[in-house]
Amino acid sequence: MDHGKQLVPTRGVAASADIVMHEVDMPVRWGDMDAYQHVNNTVYFRYMEQCRLEWFAKLGVQTVGVDIVPILVEANCRFIRAVTHPSTVRVTIRVTDVGPKIVETTHDLFVGEALYATGVCKLLWMSRTANKGVALPDDVRARLLPRL
């Protein structure tokens, strides 16, 4: 399956998986590796997190000192190839679903032009004070949809 060309059916707004919203290059650190001499599986989630947080900043999504924040409610990763040191990982983020409360994103991790992993993350917009999910704020929706 070619994940780079897939259109994902949605409950909310259909989003083309072709549009890269943000990408970041990160050097693989020696300490990212484990006893098997490849990047530990947990580090892939850190790479995705860094890309996601930079994307939030690029969108102007506030995550500190505000009540309504996006939280990660689901994450998975399909490991295709083992990343090793030294190398640089390029991580991309694409929006694949925009629902009433949840935005689904797909991350691809590359070394050079080769795909090494792909992951899907679901982000719930929640009220910290109410401790429950809320509708995706209109200003966030407006920042996402013109890019689709």
Side-chain angles (χ1 to χ4, degrees):
M1 179 184 305
D2 182 357
H3 293 284
K5 300 291 181 190
Q6 177 181 6
L7 286 179
V8 179
T10 66
R11 296 180 321 275
V13 175
S16 171
D18 288 340
I19 301 171
V20 173
M21 304 293 279
H22 183 68
E23 67 179 59
V24 61
D25 290 327
M26 289 179 275
V28 175
R29 301 169 302 177
W30 177 258
D32 291 344
M33 294 195 310
D34 59 20
Y36 299 106
Q37 297 186 2
H38 61 74
V39 170
N40 186 278
N41 294 7
T42 62
V43 177
Y44 289 69
F45 290 95
R46 289 294 205 187
Y47 295 155
M48 289 186 276
E49 175 186 58
Q50 183 64 36
C51 183
R52 188 170 55 252
L53 291 174
E54 288 186 16
W55 175 56
F56 286 161
K58 179 179 169 182
L59 286 176
V61 173
Q62 299 296 316
T63 58
V64 178
V66 294
D67 182 47
I68 308 298
V69 293
I71 62 164
L72 185 67
V73 293
E74 186 176 323
N76 68 58
C77 187
R78 185 165 55 113
F79 304 97
I80 299 167
R81 295 179 175 92
V83 176
T84 57
H85 180 274
S87 58
T88 298
V89 175
R90 179 171 44 93
V91 184
T92 65
I93 187 170
R94 295 174 281 124
V95 174
T96 49
D97 188 14
V98 178
K101 297 180 181 181
I102 294 178
V103 173
E104 181 182 271
T105 61
T106 297
H107 292 273
D108 291 317
L109 287 76
F110 298 91
V111 174
E113 295 302 312
L115 180 64
Y116 274 62
T118 188
V120 175
C121 297
K122 292 186 180 180
L123 304 160
L124 168 70
W125 262 253
M126 103 171 237
S127 164
R128 290 181 186 187
T129 55
N131 197 29
K132 67 177 188 175
V134 298
L136 184 64
D138 290 338
D139 64 319
V140 173
R141 185 177 298 278
R143 289 181 206 140
L144 291 177
L145 296 181
R147 291 169 169 82
L148 297 179

